[in-house]
Amino acid sequence: MSKRNDGRSDRDPVREFKDAVNMNPGELGKWLATDDSKSAGQHKGGGESVGHESGRRIMDLLRKRANQFTERDVAHMRKVVGYVRRHMAQRPSGDVRNTRWRYSLMNWGHDPLKEPLPPPGGPSRKALQRHQDAERSSGRNRRR
């Protein structure tokens, strides 16, 4: 990964965002409507949590086409990727199914119980899935 003159990496922020966000708009919308979602995260002055607000914005971003993204959208995508990666590095031990840690991540569009987060700058989630599918397929062919 190289750095640009402004200190940001050359990685594609849209791809990184799509790798970090593993919930679709419908799943995220359903989640954001729950009491667990509303209670998770840091609340600004008793109002909506930062993550919950971000989740609503993420739903909008997931519905946009790549050519519709503004600089502000891309900046938020970078913020989401950073949050998800930092939070995943702080995974608590044990069953995380009903934890505030998971709920907070889900507000940011990432359910840690789904597929793992790809390494930064590595193959995308889609590329990893294609590779796994090809391995499974070739394994079936060898057994025959």
Side-chain angles (χ1 to χ4, degrees):
M1 168 185 64
S2 62
K3 294 278 186 180
R4 302 180 330 192
N5 289 340
D6 62 3
R8 293 186 181 163
S9 73
D10 286 335
R11 290 196 306 242
D12 179 4
V14 175
R15 190 189 106 193
E16 295 278 321
F17 172 79
K18 289 181 178 184
D19 283 344
V21 175
N22 66 1
M23 297 171 75
N24 66 44
E27 291 171 314
L28 187 52
K30 277 175 107 169
W31 165 250
L32 293 173
T34 68
D35 289 339
D36 286 334
S37 168
K38 293 174 186 168
S39 68
Q42 293 181 330
H43 291 74
K44 302 182 279 186
E48 182 178 33
S49 75
V50 174
H52 199 272
E53 182 180 332
S54 177
R56 290 185 299 103
R57 181 126 186 245
I58 290 166
M59 283 182 8
D60 292 338
L61 291 173
L62 291 172
R63 290 184 175 119
K64 280 187 172 184
R65 292 194 171 136
N67 64 354
Q68 297 174 314
F69 295 137
T70 65
E71 286 183 31
R72 191 167 167 253
D73 291 338
V74 173
H76 191 71
M77 288 178 187
R78 284 190 173 103
K79 183 176 181 177
V80 170
V81 169
Y83 179 86
V84 169
R85 291 206 178 278
R86 279 191 313 278
H87 213 63
M88 287 295 290
Q90 300 168 356
R91 183 185 183 108
S93 60
D95 184 7
V96 297
R97 191 171 317 278
N98 297 310
T99 61
R100 291 179 61 88
W101 174 83
R102 177 181 177 225
Y103 296 165
S104 182
L105 268 168
M106 289 174 69
N107 280 351
W108 288 79
H110 183 82
D111 184 350
L113 299 183
K114 287 185 164 192
E115 64 272 2
L117 186 62
S124 70
R125 177 175 282 124
K126 286 182 180 178
L128 291 171
Q129 185 62 50
R130 282 193 305 269
H131 180 71
Q132 289 172 347
D133 292 346
E135 281 183 347
R136 279 189 215 114
S137 177
S138 66
R140 282 187 217 123
N141 291 340
R142 277 183 262 157
R143 283 183 250 150
R144 291 181 180 168

